[in-house]
């Protein structure tokens, strides 16, 4: 898995979203590591254990592994371990997981959330982790993190994305929801409408926000631009597409960016996607969307 780096303080979990609750667990690990003069580390799993166990909705993540790694690094974590969650890992009993995974890594302390489960059928709990450590490492369990009386959870964030509640999403994540992808060819229609749109082929399966129009901030070649994004199947053109496409029109921008990677932060949901009876009506609406997005984005900054 990784080179031995001496005893470490490990935050362990799926951390899908790396939301405020996860940040609390990771923050505790960093603090304990600092106090003890040890390295801090994160152990997470790929693919998502719930996806492997047949819960299909978990195939799509809020933060695919690459994004998680970027966030962990920006938080200042020293090491990150991505444990492959395959059939053999799934069959390890809680005891075997502790002996064969945690002990082998050389952990001094493990920090986990109150709802962490591990081992065959998720039978291991924070309490059993304490017992199975046999005093070889300490276990710190972090209580549920609440904000405005509401428990911060990946499930709540997924629901908020489905409802277009971007303020809630941003609040619970502690940052705007973002997606990254490569710019690919589309139908070349955007430029004829006066609104060229970079079509993103997402890097990994993300939880898709509800179809509709969003005010966005996009990072291209290290520069940040404001813009609008349509997520949807473009009913006006009867494309017959079932999966939504992700199209961004950037303001004050006119470069060719096919093949480049763009990171888009979804700041505000403006409206659901609609079928228009004429191109003029669609273009008029996109103009209104762009004006509304500028206004919302100005208020944000
Ligand atoms: C801000 C914005 C809002 C849009 N809203 C809709 C919509 O409500 N309904 C729709 O069918 N298409 C909508 N579109 C998608 C356009 O139809 C699409 O950008 C156009 O067909 C260009 O596609 P292309 O990049 O594949 O050439 C929207 C696009 C933008 C940029
Ligand atoms: N302001 C802009 N926003 C987004 N893409 C732009 C912009 N200006 C130029 N482009 C370029 O134009 C392409 C989009 O044009 P469009 O006619 O919609 O073609 P396609 O159907 O291939 O997406 C983008 O992929 C990008 O390379």
């Amino acid at each position: 898995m990784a080179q031995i780096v001496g005893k470490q303080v490990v935050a362990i979990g799926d951390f899908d979203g790396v939301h405020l609750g996860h940040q609390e667990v990771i923050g505790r690990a960093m603090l304990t590591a600092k106090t003890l003069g040890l390295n801090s580390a994160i152990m997470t799993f790929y693919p998502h254990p719930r996806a492997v166990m047949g819960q299909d909705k978990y195939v799509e993540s809020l933060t695919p592994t690459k994004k998680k790694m970027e966030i962990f690094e920006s938080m200042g974590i020293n090491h990150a371990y991505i444990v492959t969650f395959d059939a053999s890992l799934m069959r390890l009993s809680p005891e075997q997981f502790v002996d064969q995974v945690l002990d082998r890594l050389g952990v001094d302390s493990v920090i986990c959330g109150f709802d962490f489960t591990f081992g065959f059928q998720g039978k291991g709990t924070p309490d059993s982790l304490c017992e199975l450590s046999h005093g070889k490492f300490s276990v710190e369990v972090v209580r549920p993190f609440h904000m405005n009386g509401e428990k911060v959870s990946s499930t709540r964030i997924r629901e908020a994305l489905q409802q277009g509640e971007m303020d809630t999403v941003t609040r619970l994540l502690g940052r705007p929801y973002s997606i990254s992808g490569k710019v690919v060819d589309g139908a070349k229609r955007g430029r004829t409408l006066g609104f060229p749109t970079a079509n993103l082929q997402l890097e990994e399966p993300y939880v898709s926000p509800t179809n509709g129009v969003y005010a966005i901030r996009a990072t291209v070649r290290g520069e940040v631009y404001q813009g609008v994004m349509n997520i949807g199947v473009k009913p006006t053109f009867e494309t017959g597409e079932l999966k939504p496409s992700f199209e961004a029109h950037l303001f004050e921008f006119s470069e060719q960016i096919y093949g480049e990677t763009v990171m888009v932060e979804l700041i505000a949901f403006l409206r659901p996607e609609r079928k228009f009876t004429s191109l003029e009506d669609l273009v008029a609406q996109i103009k209104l969307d762009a004006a509304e997005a500028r206004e919302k984005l100005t208020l944000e900054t």
Side-chain angles (χ1 to χ4, degrees):
M1 184 163 42
Q3 84 272 34
I4 300 300
V5 289
K7 288 272 184 188
Q8 349 172 30
V9 179
V10 183
I12 185 168
D14 296 321
F15 300 123
D16 187 27
V18 201
H19 58 55
L20 292 182
H22 299 145
Q23 290 171 33
E24 177 83 0
V25 174
I26 296 166
R28 291 279 186 92
M30 291 175 70
L31 192 66
T32 304
K34 198 172 169 206
T35 310
L36 299 174
L38 300 174
N39 275 319
S40 59
I42 287 186
M43 180 180 287
T44 190
F45 304 90
Y46 180 81
H48 197 301
R50 291 197 198 186
V52 178
M53 291 193 281
Q55 293 189 37
D56 285 347
K57 70 172 183 172
Y58 288 95
V59 171
E60 295 172 337
S61 14
L62 294 167
T63 42
T65 304
K66 193 171 159 221
K67 185 140 290 180
K68 269 194 217 172
M69 293 302 127
E70 287 167 12
I71 301 172
F72 296 156
E73 199 176 346
S74 73
M75 292 176 78
I77 278 281
N78 298 120
H79 301 279
Y81 302 100
I82 305 166
V83 178
T84 308
F85 196 87
D86 56 11
S88 64
L89 192 92
M90 192 161 87
R91 278 197 295 269
L92 294 182
S93 67
E95 201 159 13
Q96 287 169 322
F97 180 84
V98 170
D99 291 346
Q100 297 177 24
V101 182
L102 289 180
D103 233 13
R104 239 181 239 182
L105 201 61
V107 297
D108 177 274
S109 321
V110 175
I111 323 291
C112 64
F114 69 103
D115 58 353
F116 174 63
T117 58
F118 65 101
F120 187 58
Q121 292 178 339
K123 289 255 160 63
T125 63
D127 280 347
S128 50
L129 187 59
C130 287
E131 278 165 35
L132 293 170
S133 72
H134 301 299
K136 283 195 266 184
F137 55 85
S138 66
V139 177
E140 194 180 335
V141 184
V142 178
R143 283 188 301 196
F145 187 87
H146 286 79
M147 180 168 248
N148 301 344
E150 179 178 40
K151 189 178 86 182
V152 177
S153 73
S154 304
T155 304
R156 177 70 189 98
I157 296 168
R158 284 168 184 255
E159 282 168 10
L161 282 171
Q162 269 309 304
Q163 307 296 327
E165 297 167 1
M166 302 316 285
D167 286 351
T168 304
V169 171
T170 302
R171 203 162 35 78
L172 302 184
L173 283 176
R175 60 175 188 285
Y177 187 61
S178 65
I179 52 179
S180 296
K182 203 163 95 170
V183 179
V184 295
D185 285 319
K188 315 287 173 201
R189 202 187 289 129
R191 63 197 72 177
T192 66
L193 301 176
F195 287 94
T197 52
N199 296 3
L200 301 194
Q201 186 176 61
L202 301 191
E203 275 171 349
E204 294 178 73
Y206 283 87
V207 173
S208 184
T210 191
N211 284 3
V213 182
Y214 293 81
I216 61 164
R217 271 197 305 255
T219 306
V220 188
R221 299 174 182 160
E223 296 283 330
V224 180
Y225 299 88
Q226 299 186 338
V228 269
M229 169 167 259
N230 186 55
I231 300 180
V233 295
K234 296 171 267 188
T236 307
F237 300 96
E238 295 178 350
T239 58
E241 289 166 17
L242 296 174
K243 289 183 91 181
S245 57
F246 295 77
E247 301 187 80
H249 170 74
L250 313 185
F251 304 149
E252 277 79 62
F253 185 85
S254 57
E255 286 165 54
Q256 187 60 259
I257 46 169
Y258 288 116
E260 303 208 21
T261 298
V262 177
M263 193 272 277
V264 170
E265 292 176 304
L266 298 162
I267 308 297
F269 175 72
L270 304 181
R271 65 170 175 90
E273 192 184 39
R274 278 169 40 203
K275 181 178 167 77
F276 289 89
T277 45
S278 74
L279 286 188
E280 293 72 42
D281 288 351
L282 170 63
V283 172
Q285 180 60 53
I286 294 179
K287 283 185 183 154
L288 291 176
D289 295 335
E292 191 183 349
R294 282 180 195 274
E295 204 177 310
K296 289 240 153 75
L297 291 162
T298 309
L299 290 177
E300 281 289 320
T301 47

